[in-house]
């Protein structure tokens, strides 16, 4: 589990052709893409020579090395003193914009091609709400990537899915698991994909460093993506705009879950950032109808004249819940407030995990003597159903899945890699008892969670079949200079590995996206001369079935590899793959061309 890189600036495409880059591939590092060549006819991509052993990447193999923490960018909520005021590493979710060694970098725009498509929660109008610390650097995937659910169940068609967050599914039974339950994603006759459309990166004002554009959803009607102070619905095949919801400021958090009728929630700033005021706080909570393309309502929680700035927002049933260092607040989908913090309460709801159940991470005690309470709560009343108290001294925890309940934490800061994970805790929702604890050393496994401020932001994992699916760190492959990794499974009852392993293949890096019934949907990040793949892994046999493979041309591959599954948003459903950014910023060069989103599709 590696350190994340910082968000570099983006630039919208300027039109042009579709072809390979000119000149030799750039060396690894933090340089931004070079100016593009003149458009010309596509040519066979040149294969760069493999790097000598001295240039082989360090752990993370192909990922950029950890940079210095960035200054609070214009558009990021700032950090305040208190529990979240401690010095922090870059948040787990900065987009990894630079491809690893061997990826030819091209800024050529892509041309679409023809192709297929708890206690203290009850609200009292007289109570004041403690002023919140302003949110730390904001990012969603999830949690940032989500597939709108029409059933609340993991039926494979409508699914809370994402590269940025593992998904739970099924009940909390301790059965044998590990069997295929008939996923909805079927292999097409030809998995070869084409570019369906691309969305230009928004233009950011010159006095603004970087702005959050997190949030993606997919329904039967639209691909929905947050832009620069707006949310836009696109035709899932053509990319034409269906509707736009304007906002007064940037989206800083977005729920990875939806209601049965495709409604979700976001948190956003009340105004656009400026040089004089780079953040206005993540104070606004809104409900969004993803089918109708409408903002249903906007709510805030205040203490006197000071609004609470929220660190996360989620949806469970018809409840929108948002947590902060001042505590949590909740609203139903009609906009009615359900609960808010009590000023005299010594504990507070730092954040919530949503989906089939609603789970709070409730913090008690001082910073150096913290006690975390993992509470399954009634989404309508806030009443505690069950509670698990974590070992004292654990400061942060993240909700991986609410059903079955899985929590990740960096116990004693032992992960050592910025991933936020040293252990997983499998907890019984009904009794609050610990089922098992799974050790996941940072030097062996590649998932990550940001439990510091965003309680429901985990990437590179999935939960289903009463099992936890996580990728290993990259290691030497069988080919010369090649790297690879695997997905492995842990039993949530025993805490032991099941022995199932899904290989990425030489040069590829595999990462779980979500569950599809009893199967695991995973993305394979490609080597320098291939296109990425989406595969379905059978929950029983672990047999891999290729569902989609992207073009291997230089320009397409460069756009694809600029969107790492750890630091970008990936959605896959029914032969369609959508990849998108979570930050928009200034370009390093006027000739740089960047994309907010790129869509791929198979013909079958």
């Amino acid at each position: 589990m590696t350190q994340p890189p910082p968000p570099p600036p983006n630039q919208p495409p300027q039109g042009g052709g579709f072809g390979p880059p000119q000149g030799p591939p750039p060396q690894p590092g933090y340089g931004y893409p070079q100016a593009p060549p003149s458009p010309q006819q596509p040519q066979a991509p040149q294969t760069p020579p493999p790097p000598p052993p001295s240039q082989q990447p360090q752990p993370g193999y192909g990922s950029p090395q950890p940079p210095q923490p960035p200054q609070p960018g214009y558009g990021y909520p700032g950090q305040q003193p208190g529990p979240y005021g401690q010095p922090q590493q870059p948040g787990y979710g900065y987009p990894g914009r630079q491809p690893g060694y061997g990826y030819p970098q091209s800024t050529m725009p892509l041309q679409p091609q023809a192709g297929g498509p708890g206690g203290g929660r009850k609200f009292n109008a007289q109570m004041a709400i403690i002023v919140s610390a302003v949110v730390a650097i904001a990012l969603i995937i999830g949690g940032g990537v989500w597939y709108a659910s029409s059933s609340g169940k993991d039926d494979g068609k409508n699914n809370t899915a994402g590269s940025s967050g593992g998904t739970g599914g099924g009940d909390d039974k301790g059965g044998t698991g590990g069997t295929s339950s008939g996923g909805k994603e079927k292999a097409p006759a030809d998995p070869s994909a084409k570019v369906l459309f691309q969305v230009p990166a928004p233009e950011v004002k010159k006095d603004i460093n970087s702005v959050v554009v997190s949030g993606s959803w997919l329904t039967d009607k639209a691909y929905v993506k947050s832009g620069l102070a707006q949310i836009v619905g696109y035709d899932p095949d053509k990319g034409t705009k269906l509707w736009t919801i304007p906002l007064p400021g940037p989206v800083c958090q977005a729920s990875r879950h939806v209601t049965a009728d495709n409604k979700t929630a976001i948190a956003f700033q009340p105004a656009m950032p400026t040089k004089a005021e780079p953040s206005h706080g993540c104070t606004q909570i809104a409900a969004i109808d993803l089918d109708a393309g409408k903002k249903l309502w906007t709510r805030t929680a205040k203490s006197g004249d000071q609004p609470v700035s929220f660190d996360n927002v989620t949806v469970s049933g018809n409840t929108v819940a948002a947590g902060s260092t001042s505590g949590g607040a909740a609203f139903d989908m009609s906009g009615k407030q359900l609960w808010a913090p009590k000023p005299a309460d010594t504990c507070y709801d730092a954040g919530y995990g949503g989906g089939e159940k609603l789970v709070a991470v409730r913090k008690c005690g001082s910073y150096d003597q913290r006690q975390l309470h993992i509470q399954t709560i009634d989404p309508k009343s806030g009443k505690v159903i069950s509670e698990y108290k974590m070992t004292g001294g654990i400061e942060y925890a993240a909700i991986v899945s609410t059903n079955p309940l899985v929590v990740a934490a960096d116990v004693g800061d032992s992960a050592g890699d910025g991933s936020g994970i040293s252990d997983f805790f499998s907890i019984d929702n009904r009794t609050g008892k610990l089922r098992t604890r799974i050790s996941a050393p940072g030097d062996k496994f590649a998932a990550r969670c940001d439990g510091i401020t965003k309680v429901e932001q985990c990437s590179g994992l999935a939960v289903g079949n009463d099992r936890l699916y996580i990728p290993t760190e990259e290691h030497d492959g069988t080919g010369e200079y090649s790297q690879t990794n695997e997905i492995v499974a842990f039993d949530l009852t025993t805490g032991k590995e099941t022995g199932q392993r899904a290989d990425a293949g030489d040069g590829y890096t595999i990462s779980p996206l979500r569950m599809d019934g009893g199967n695991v949907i995973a993305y394979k990040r490609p080597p320098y001369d291939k296109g990425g793949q989406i595969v379905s892994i059978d929950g029983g046999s672990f047999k891999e079935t290729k569902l989609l493979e992207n073009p291997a041309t230089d320009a397409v591959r460069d756009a694809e590899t600029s969107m790492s599954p750890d630091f970008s948003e990936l959605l896959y459903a029914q032969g369609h793959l959508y990849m998108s950014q979570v930050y928009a910023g200034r370009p390093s060069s006027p000739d740089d061309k960047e994309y907010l989103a790129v869509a791929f599709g198979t013909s079958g």
Side-chain angles (χ1 to χ4, degrees):
M1 291 178 252
T2 56
Q3 292 278 3
N10 296 337
Q11 166 73 6
Q14 304 294 325
F18 178 57
Q22 303 300 310
Q27 297 301 311
Y30 294 106
Y32 296 111
Q34 303 300 310
S38 301
Q40 57 179 266
Q41 294 301 316
Q43 300 176 8
Q46 298 299 314
T47 303
S54 62
Q55 295 183 7
Q56 283 299 298
Q58 297 303 310
Y61 307 113
S63 299
Q65 295 302 309
Q68 294 298 316
Q71 298 299 316
Y74 305 134
Y76 299 97
Q79 295 178 334
Q80 299 294 328
Y84 296 131
Q86 304 300 317
Q88 300 188 11
Q89 296 297 317
Y92 315 121
Y94 290 141
R97 305 281 298 144
Q98 292 302 313
Y101 182 90
Y103 288 109
Q105 297 183 8
S106 170
T107 56
M108 298 294 292
L110 309 182
Q111 292 298 323
Q113 303 179 33
R121 296 190 181 87
K122 278 293 189 176
F123 177 67
N124 184 328
Q126 302 302 317
M127 66 176 67
I129 301 175
I130 304 170
V131 179
S132 173
V134 180
V135 184
I137 292 176
L139 176 63
I140 21 190
I141 275 318
V145 185
W146 309 286
Y147 186 58
S149 173
S150 64
S151 64
K153 297 291 183 181
D154 184 13
D155 61 5
K157 179 180 179 182
N158 292 308
N159 195 308
T160 53
S163 67
S164 296
T167 60
D171 55 24
D172 194 16
K173 297 178 181 179
T176 57
T179 58
S180 175
S181 61
K184 300 296 183 179
E185 303 292 352
K186 305 301 181 183
D190 182 3
S192 300
K194 299 177 181 179
V195 176
L196 298 178
F197 63 88
Q198 64 269 0
V199 179
E203 184 174 357
V204 177
K205 294 182 179 179
K206 63 180 181 179
D207 59 344
I208 296 178
N209 190 28
S210 188
V211 178
V212 176
V213 289
S214 63
S216 295
W217 302 266
L218 185 61
T219 74
D220 292 336
K221 298 180 178 180
Y223 167 63
V224 183
K225 172 62 186 166
S226 294
L228 191 62
Q230 64 180 1
I231 298 176
V232 182
Y234 299 92
D235 181 283
D237 290 301
K238 301 176 183 178
T240 52
K241 287 186 179 181
L242 302 176
W243 48 260
T244 299
I245 300 174
L247 299 169
V251 174
C252 42
Q253 298 290 323
S255 172
R256 64 172 60 220
H257 305 288
V258 298
T259 64
D261 55 352
N262 288 341
K263 294 181 177 67
T264 191
I266 60 171
F268 61 95
Q269 295 190 45
M272 287 300 293
T274 63
K275 185 175 182 180
E277 192 165 3
S279 173
H280 299 277
C282 201
T283 59
Q284 312 294 302
I285 301 294
I288 303 295
D289 187 325
L290 297 172
D291 285 339
K294 295 181 179 180
K295 179 160 64 73
L296 302 175
W297 47 258
T298 300
R299 298 289 183 269
T300 60
K302 294 183 178 180
S303 175
D305 294 331
Q306 300 298 319
V308 173
S309 186
F310 293 101
D311 296 314
N312 96 306
V313 63
T314 195
V315 171
S316 181
N318 283 306
T319 295
V320 176
S324 76
T325 56
S326 295
F331 310 86
D332 67 20
M333 273 296 167
S334 71
K336 176 185 176 181
Q337 189 161 19
L338 302 176
W339 67 78
K342 289 181 177 179
D345 201 339
T346 57
C347 301
Y348 63 91
D349 290 358
Y352 301 92
E356 292 184 33
K357 297 183 183 293
L358 185 61
V359 177
V361 175
R362 190 164 177 82
K363 291 193 172 188
C364 300
S366 63
Y367 178 79
D368 57 347
Q369 295 180 333
R370 187 71 71 197
Q371 175 78 66
L372 298 185
H373 300 237
I374 309 301
Q375 299 177 333
T376 298
I377 60 180
D378 185 308
K380 295 182 179 179
S381 67
K383 179 182 178 180
V384 177
I385 297 171
S386 66
E387 179 180 76
Y388 170 72
K389 295 182 180 180
M390 301 190 74
T391 303
I394 299 176
E395 181 65 29
Y396 308 109
I399 305 298
V400 176
S401 167
T402 62
N403 188 32
L405 178 52
V406 180
V407 174
D410 187 357
V411 180
D413 297 322
S414 58
D417 62 350
S419 66
I421 304 172
S422 67
D423 296 83
F424 293 95
F425 298 79
S426 174
I427 302 168
D428 190 304
N429 278 105
R430 294 180 294 271
T431 66
K433 293 182 179 179
L434 181 68
R435 300 173 65 197
T436 190
R437 177 172 169 174
I438 300 170
S439 176
D443 61 346
K444 294 182 179 179
F445 299 101
R448 65 175 63 250
C449 291
D450 181 8
I452 294 178
T453 57
K454 292 168 279 293
V455 163
E456 202 180 24
Q457 183 175 303
C458 295
S459 64
L461 37 68
V463 174
N465 303 320
D466 208 37
R467 298 188 174 185
L468 169 68
Y469 301 95
I470 58 176
T472 65
E473 284 285 4
E474 291 188 33
H475 56 80
D476 291 342
T478 57
E480 188 175 14
Y481 305 127
S482 72
Q483 301 293 320
T484 189
N485 77 328
E486 301 82 32
I487 291 175
V488 298
F490 285 88
D491 190 298
L492 292 177
T493 301
T494 66
K496 297 180 179 179
E497 285 194 47
T498 64
Q500 297 165 306
R501 300 176 74 87
D503 296 329
D506 275 341
Y508 290 90
T509 303
I510 193 168
S511 179
L513 297 183
R514 63 173 174 88
M515 298 301 298
D516 172 33
N519 303 330
V520 181
I521 301 299
Y523 171 71
K524 288 186 176 183
R525 184 174 171 88
Y528 69 87
D529 58 347
K530 303 289 185 181
Q533 300 177 4
I534 295 291
V535 297
S536 176
I537 303 170
D538 186 276
S541 67
F542 250 47
K543 177 183 177 181
E544 296 181 33
T545 300
K546 187 189 299 183
L547 302 179
L548 176 145
E549 184 168 18
N550 286 335
T553 56
D554 290 349
V556 174
R557 190 176 60 250
D558 292 346
E560 176 180 1
T561 56
S562 73
M563 300 182 188
S564 160
D566 284 335
F567 310 119
S568 303
E569 303 176 345
L570 273 70
L571 287 173
Y572 175 81
Q574 305 299 319
H576 291 63
L577 173 63
Y578 304 88
M579 307 181 74
S580 63
Q581 304 289 359
V582 294
Y583 289 102
R586 291 175 296 169
S588 59
S589 166
D591 294 323
D592 286 346
K593 296 178 176 64
E594 299 291 343
Y595 306 100
L596 176 65
V598 180
F600 303 92
T602 62
S603 58

